[in-house]
Amino acid sequence: MANVVTVNKVRKVYGKANEKQTTALKDVSFNVQAGEFIGIMGASGSGKSTLLNILSTLDKPTAGDVKINNQDVTGLKGNKLSDFRSREVGFIFQDFNLLENLTSRENIALPLSLQGVSAKKIAPQVESIAEKLSITEILDQYPTEISGGQKQRVAAARALVTQPAILFADEPTGALDSHSARELLDTMTTLNKNDGVSILLVTHDPFSASYCQRILFIKDGVIGQELKRKDQDRTTFYHQILDELGTFED
Amino acid sequence: MLWKLALGGIKSRLKDYIVLFSGLTISAAIFYMFQSLASNPEFLKANSTLGMIVFIFYFGSVLLGIITLVYILYANSFLLTMRQRTYAMFMMLGAKSSKIAQLIFIETVAVGVISTVVGSAVGVGLTSIISQVLVKQMDIAITHFSPWSTSAALVTAVFFLVLFAFAAIYNAGKLVKTPVLNLLNQAKTPTRFKRNPVLWGIEVAGGLILLAVGYWSMAQLNTLQLFGLGIALVTIVLGSYFVFDAFFLMIIQLLRRNERFRTKELHSFTLGQLSFRIRDFTRLLSMVSIVFALALGAITVGLGFHDTIQTMAEQISPYDLMLHDPTTASQKQADALSPISVSTYQYKVAGKNVYFLASDFNRAPFKENQPQQRADGSYGVKKVTYGEAEMLKDPTGHTQTLADLVTQKAPYQTITVVNAADYAKVNGTVHSTQLYITKDFMAIKDKLKPLVAADQKQEGSTNANMSMNQKYSVYALYNTMMSGFEFMGLFLGIAFLAMLASCLMFKILSGAASDALRYQMLEKIGTRRSLLKKSIRQEIGTLFVLPGILGVIHVLFGLQMFKVTSLLPQPYHNIWLPFLIFLVLYVLYYFLTVQLYSGIVLHSGKSEEFQRGE
Ligand SMILES: Nc1ncnc2c1ncn2[C@@H]1O[C@H](COP(=O)(O)OP(=O)(O)O)[C@@H](O)[C@H]1O
Ligand SMILES: [Mg+2]
């Protein structure tokens, strides 16, 4: 299978040379295959968000390179970078708010407008992704009028409407109640299985991680163990993750 | 420790503070200048005809005071939004809220004191420049005029400091009372735009109708008189409010409904921002449109009055100079002006009777401008010429007409125009008066001054009526009055414009901090920077253009008042000049606002780090 994401010896150092420096990532390397649902797990401060920001081109690594769909993204700048972001990657974050002065429909349509898609084509694409995420009813409501779970679905719809190579999610369930969290994770699983959407999920929560097919554990900026779900059911995998964490944390 | 943090905060936002300071400094300077011109005792005593100007200046400074008040409120809210995150952070770190309140109070007052002091100093400089211009314009010599006025400085200091003290108390109270979390995430969440379409439609129609009524009543000022002014004031203020609250919003909603338009580039975002903004800005925008109209109107009318000085002087008399019993010296001086016509009239004074020689009117018919009310109610002049035949038809009926020609020293009652034979029979002292018409009065007016002065001295006259028969005296009197108007108009207009544009600017900038998150989000989902900038330009541009356009429309209709009442015969003449001044100032403010706003909402290209909570 082709790799959608290739991470090669990525290092990230915060702080200027003459100041106190933090090395958040230490030569991280791994691949994500097309159609994979991969999880990155680690405690708070382990470097998860730093890694995701670099993968999603929001930040630049100090050294190393990242390829998405075989394109090196670390050198992208200006318009090329913006265009790449709008076409190839989608994100949802814990606090990735929607634009609250736009309706859900307008929020979802925005990335298509940015790509210059015509009005005629935008409508059906928005409808179709909204249906997949079960948010058809709330399309004409404003973010302030819908629940947290619904907001996150709208955010996911906006991320996916452009059919990006990969969906990055940073603690997407962090601000949700357990019921909404479960629903969102189920939806993501369905999207992954039925539509072949590649997903990279970053979390510190074993329950969320148990939805993934493969989990990479990160600690102090270094990727350690890897855990594969294979054919296990989710509950079994969940317990395996907990066990793994027990040994990993020590 | 807190002090250090507070000062550090100022350092990191130095650019914003410079904007705040310079805005406040200029407003203090303008305020001081007004006060000093109006309250300078030497200036007051210099000339009695200046009494009117003093009143105008006081009126201007009251208006300016009101606008300054609004300005300080907005500048203050800008200061508050700029600082509240920092202060909230201190509070999270455990700083006592009383300590924070104290810091905010000190900071606000410090901003006020510094800008008042610097502003007054700048004001002293401006006053000395402006007063020189004013004195030169008005052709009067004022001695002992000092740009420094203790009372003006006191008024300015008290006015600004009191306002700032209130602002400081308000700021401190607000920050301490608002929950810390709200301060940290102070993004104003736009609520759904729910409106009853019928009421909305009524408001749109009502706004437009109100404006129409206001415009109509200004055009009918002649018949409606003061009542019309009242109607216009109320309807235009309300109409402007409704137009912003309903009409412009309706246009934006219609654009939002248009699928093709909305789904292009960032249009949906820009429209979303605008409909949120305009609702938030309704009061400010309608106020801006009205005061802009006043400011622009003041400039237009001020410049218009200057144009009318000549017209009015011309209307008083067709003659540029009148010499009673000219001496050879004064005649020589007058001839040096190369007049296009010289009319000489001789007359004899015999007791209570004055006799003019009819043939003089044959050689040079006497010209007079008679005030006339036209059919439409406006005033103009009728040019009348009296020849010999006309004079002889009613020999004693022209006493009024010819009165100015006769020397003041003659205690006559009747003027009779007689033929040569009768004139020869009259036994009395012989006098003559010479009337000059020059090619261009305005060009030689300064040379007329000594001649007129000599004539008046010879006549021994302090009589007001006496000086009114000399065009130069009329001109000088009008000039004193009109220059005051002109200066006031220009000065008040520009000061208002600057203040209002700053109000708009600070109001927009106050929202920038909470908008920043939205722009960050847009950038994250891959919006090109050029598109973001375009959206900013369009959004701010609309906020500037809408009140600007409405203000210009107000002015265009408002000038009708001056036309129909004949205060200004040609109010639309040379209208491009005030509009150009307006445009230049306005465009400058627009670019400044776009620049500052972009600086706040778009993070610099270098650091690609996004702030995100964990
Ligand atoms: N902008 C930054 N400047 C300096 N250090 C940072 C910055 N962002 C993160 N760090 C540091 O990098 C490390 C990894 O942080 P992060 O990637 O946010 O961890 P996680 O998301 O796993 O909690 C932490 O030690 C954190 O303090
Ligand atoms: Mg994180």
Side-chain angles (χ1 to χ4, degrees):
Chain A
M1 266 238 210
N3 287 338
V4 259
V5 179
T6 315
V7 181
N8 183 28
K9 291 197 182 132
V10 164
R11 166 183 287 271
K12 178 69 185 179
V13 183
Y14 285 116
K16 287 179 194 140
N18 49 359
E19 289 167 7
K20 200 181 136 243
Q21 293 187 320
T22 326
T23 308
L25 295 175
K26 297 164 188 160
D27 299 331
V28 170
S29 301
F30 67 94
N31 299 325
V32 182
Q33 289 180 346
E36 218 182 348
F37 189 167
I38 188 172
I40 307 236
M41 247 199 113
S44 182
S46 56
K48 303 183 298 290
S49 296
T50 305
L51 177 61
L52 203 79
N53 283 346
I54 289 173
L55 293 184
S56 54
T57 71
L58 297 180
D59 202 354
K60 298 236 181 293
T62 313
D65 53 80
V66 176
K67 281 188 185 141
I68 294 178
N69 256 353
N70 286 323
Q71 180 170 7
D72 187 354
V73 299
T74 43
L76 288 177
K77 272 195 207 105
N79 286 344
K80 281 214 176 99
L81 180 64
S82 302
D83 292 351
F84 184 84
R85 259 183 217 162
S86 83
R87 275 170 225 279
E88 303 289 352
V89 293
F91 351 67
I92 36 177
F93 293 111
Q94 173 182 332
D95 62 340
F96 194 58
N97 306 319
L98 299 163
L99 293 163
E100 71 273 36
N101 50 12
L102 300 185
T103 60
S104 305
R105 186 190 298 281
E106 289 169 334
N107 262 293
I108 299 170
L110 200 56
L112 293 175
S113 300
L114 291 177
Q115 290 181 8
V117 178
S118 73
K120 245 188 254 156
K121 286 185 190 155
I122 287 179
Q125 286 190 47
V126 171
E127 290 291 339
S128 127
I129 192 76
E131 208 161 299
K132 277 182 196 156
L133 287 156
S134 334
I135 46 170
T136 317
E137 268 88 73
I138 53 151
L139 274 183
D140 289 313
Q141 287 183 308
Y142 284 87
T144 44
E145 300 165 334
I146 59 182
S147 74
Q150 288 171 322
K151 268 189 225 173
Q152 205 55 293
R153 283 159 183 279
V154 174
R158 180 173 67 184
L160 293 170
V161 74
T162 56
Q163 300 185 311
I166 186 159
L167 175 70
F168 294 112
D170 188 358
E171 313 264 14
T173 57
L176 302 184
D177 60 86
S178 64
H179 176 72
S180 309
R182 205 182 282 260
E183 270 185 357
L184 182 71
L185 290 163
D186 281 334
T187 312
M188 286 169 74
T189 311
T190 319
L191 283 168
N192 171 254
K193 282 218 177 91
N194 300 353
D195 299 273
V197 178
S198 316
I199 301 174
L200 188 149
L201 171 77
V202 158
T203 184
H204 71 278
D205 162 38
F207 177 76
S208 301
S210 70
Y211 281 80
C212 303
Q213 292 160 350
R214 183 160 69 107
I215 298 170
L216 301 173
F217 291 88
I218 185 168
K219 190 182 176 189
D220 298 332
V222 181
I223 291 200
Q225 288 88 332
E226 179 183 304
L227 209 57
K228 283 190 177 156
R229 179 161 159 191
K230 297 196 185 95
D231 294 327
Q232 303 175 75
D233 68 26
R234 226 200 60 238
T235 326
T236 324
F237 191 45
Y238 175 62
H239 288 291
Q240 201 188 346
I241 295 168
L242 288 181
D243 290 347
E244 185 63 43
L245 276 179
T247 57
F248 187 68
E249 295 289 307
D250 299 329
Chain B
M1 179 61 190
L2 275 179
W3 275 106
K4 230 175 127 185
L5 284 171
L7 286 177
I10 292 182
K11 236 193 206 154
S12 64
R13 306 207 53 170
L14 198 59
K15 208 175 67 188
D16 298 331
Y17 272 95
I18 289 173
V19 174
L20 186 68
F21 267 124
S22 38
L24 289 170
T25 301
I26 289 172
S27 84
I30 290 174
F31 193 84
Y32 170 84
M33 185 153 57
F34 251 92
Q35 289 301 325
S36 69
L37 290 181
S39 68
N40 211 304
E42 300 300 330
F43 192 63
L44 292 184
K45 281 180 217 144
N47 195 319
S48 57
T49 54
L50 277 178
M52 180 127 158
I53 286 188
V54 172
F55 170 74
I56 298 174
F57 268 77
Y58 270 124
F59 180 70
S61 53
V62 169
L63 265 178
L64 195 67
I66 295 170
I67 301 213
T68 311
L69 184 84
V70 176
Y71 174 79
I72 290 180
L73 287 182
Y74 282 122
N76 190 51
S77 88
F78 172 68
L79 176 72
L80 194 66
T81 52
M82 199 159 86
R83 299 294 277 154
Q84 67 185 11
R85 257 186 97 86
T86 318
Y87 282 127
M89 216 81 98
F90 296 169
M91 267 147 114
M92 290 246 294
L93 295 174
K96 275 203 207 103
S97 57
S98 63
K99 186 89 189 161
I100 295 288
Q102 199 185 332
L103 269 181
I104 300 163
F105 186 87
I106 291 169
E107 182 174 339
T108 313
V109 168
V111 166
V113 168
I114 297 174
S115 48
T116 308
V117 169
V118 177
S120 302
V122 173
V124 171
L126 281 180
T127 306
S128 70
I129 296 171
I130 293 286
S131 60
Q132 275 165 25
V133 172
L134 191 61
V135 165
K136 213 172 153 197
Q137 265 289 312
M138 288 163 55
D139 275 347
I140 42 169
I142 297 172
T143 45
H144 312 302
F145 180 83
S146 137
W148 169 255
S149 151
T150 317
S151 67
L154 267 178
V155 171
T156 310
V158 169
F159 183 76
F160 273 76
L161 292 184
V162 166
L163 283 183
F164 268 96
F166 277 121
I169 292 169
Y170 173 83
N171 273 1
K174 181 160 181 208
L175 266 195
V176 171
K177 277 205 199 91
T178 319
V180 176
L181 272 180
N182 289 8
L183 290 178
L184 280 175
N185 315 307
Q186 212 256 343
K188 267 191 215 144
T189 37
T191 45
R192 187 179 184 69
F193 184 64
K194 278 196 196 104
R195 237 184 213 188
N196 179 333
V198 177
L199 285 181
W200 195 2
I202 290 174
E203 204 184 333
V204 170
L208 296 177
I209 289 171
L210 280 172
L211 282 187
V213 169
Y215 294 157
W216 173 83
S217 65
M218 287 196 292
Q220 302 298 317
L221 209 62
N222 257 338
T223 38
L224 295 174
Q225 301 284 327
L226 219 55
F227 182 57
L229 216 55
I231 296 180
L233 202 67
V234 173
T235 53
I236 290 176
V237 168
L238 278 178
S240 304
Y241 182 84
F242 288 155
V243 160
F244 277 107
D245 198 47
F247 179 68
F248 285 137
L249 218 51
M250 188 182 75
I251 290 177
I252 289 173
Q253 287 305 103
L254 286 180
L255 284 176
R256 274 184 105 165
R257 293 245 178 89
N258 181 326
E259 194 89 359
R260 288 268 303 277
F261 182 83
R262 190 196 62 197
T263 51
K264 187 143 182 280
E265 296 178 339
L266 273 183
H267 286 177
S268 62
F269 174 73
T270 314
L271 291 173
Q273 282 280 94
L274 272 176
S275 67
F276 167 50
R277 272 286 162 68
I278 289 188
R279 272 181 289 158
D280 192 28
F281 279 41
T282 305
R283 248 169 307 163
L284 175 66
L285 291 182
S286 38
M287 182 188 91
V288 166
S289 77
I290 288 161
V291 186
F292 268 169
L294 289 181
L296 190 52
I299 300 179
T300 313
V301 170
L303 292 178
F305 271 131
H306 188 70
D307 283 346
T308 55
I309 299 173
Q310 196 183 346
T311 322
M312 288 171 82
E314 226 107 73
Q315 285 185 356
I316 283 299
S317 165
Y319 299 105
D320 293 332
L321 176 68
M322 184 184 289
L323 291 180
H324 299 89
D325 296 322
T327 61
T328 22
S330 64
Q331 251 171 339
K332 214 169 149 192
Q333 246 180 308
D335 285 337
L337 302 173
S338 44
I340 50 175
S341 96
V342 184
S343 319
T344 311
Y345 300 101
Q346 41 180 311
Y347 59 92
K348 286 182 182 166
V349 179
K352 303 242 169 203
N353 286 303
V354 169
Y355 298 94
F356 271 82
L357 181 59
S359 59
D360 280 351
F361 294 94
N362 192 25
R363 228 179 322 119
F366 183 70
K367 294 177 185 149
E368 192 191 43
N369 291 344
Q370 280 177 355
Q372 283 265 308
Q373 190 166 17
R374 296 197 198 100
D376 65 356
S378 65
Y379 288 88
V381 289
K382 189 178 159 198
K383 294 197 163 151
V384 192
T385 313
Y386 302 95
E388 181 179 13
E390 189 152 11
M391 287 295 187
L392 287 176
K393 218 185 279 168
D394 183 9
T396 54
H398 299 285
T399 306
Q400 283 288 323
T401 316
L402 300 173
D404 286 342
L405 299 183
V406 182
T407 174
Q408 289 291 304
K409 290 172 187 155
Y412 70 94
Q413 267 173 359
T414 321
I415 295 177
T416 318
V417 181
V418 291
N419 60 29
D422 292 340
Y423 187 75
K425 283 184 219 145
V426 175
N427 198 3
T429 47
V430 181
H431 293 270
S432 77
T433 293
Q434 270 181 350
L435 301 175
Y436 293 80
I437 298 176
T438 62
K439 218 159 117 198
D440 184 359
F441 169 77
M442 293 306 278
I444 53 132
K445 63 177 169 39
D446 289 339
K447 288 184 190 146
L448 288 177
K449 193 177 177 179
L451 277 167
V452 171
D455 185 63
Q456 281 182 11
K457 195 173 164 214
Q458 182 190 312
E459 286 281 284
S461 165
T462 50
N463 188 335
N465 181 45
M466 173 66 200
S467 56
M468 287 303 281
N469 61 33
Q470 291 284 7
K471 194 191 253 181
Y472 179 81
S473 312
V474 175
Y475 163 80
L477 186 72
Y478 282 156
N479 193 36
T480 314
M481 253 161 61
M482 298 307 171
S483 295
F485 276 128
E486 183 190 2
F487 177 75
M488 265 301 291
L490 263 177
F491 191 72
L492 201 65
I494 291 176
F496 278 13
L497 265 182
M499 294 283 225
L500 273 164
S502 315
C503 282
L504 198 53
M505 182 176 88
F506 280 124
K507 176 82 178 160
I508 292 173
L509 292 182
S510 304
S514 56
D515 289 340
L517 272 174
R518 281 174 223 150
Y519 285 94
Q520 255 180 44
M521 256 180 254
L522 284 172
E523 213 160 4
K524 275 189 196 173
I525 63 169
T527 313
R528 290 181 175 200
R529 194 157 265 258
S530 53
L531 268 188
L532 290 177
K533 284 190 176 151
K534 193 165 149 193
S535 168
I536 290 173
R537 283 196 302 269
Q538 286 171 345
E539 183 190 333
I540 296 179
T542 312
L543 292 177
F544 268 80
V545 163
L546 291 185
I549 288 182
L550 198 60
V552 165
I553 295 176
H554 289 340
V555 174
L556 291 179
F557 281 100
L559 288 176
Q560 279 295 319
M561 292 193 296
F562 293 90
K563 193 178 165 86
V564 295
T565 53
S566 276
L567 272 172
L568 281 178
Q570 291 175 292
Y572 298 98
H573 182 65
N574 275 343
I575 199 163
W576 60 271
L577 182 61
F579 278 59
L580 186 72
I581 296 175
F582 174 81
L583 197 73
V584 167
L585 237 143
Y586 210 50
V587 166
L588 276 178
Y589 265 98
Y590 164 71
F591 280 115
L592 185 64
T593 311
V594 167
Q595 206 56 37
L596 293 170
Y597 183 85
S598 305
I600 300 175
V601 297
L602 300 179
H603 66 109
S604 65
K606 257 192 287 168
S607 86
E608 284 272 320
E609 286 155 27
F610 290 87
Q611 292 180 330
R612 283 198 297 117
E614 259 304 278

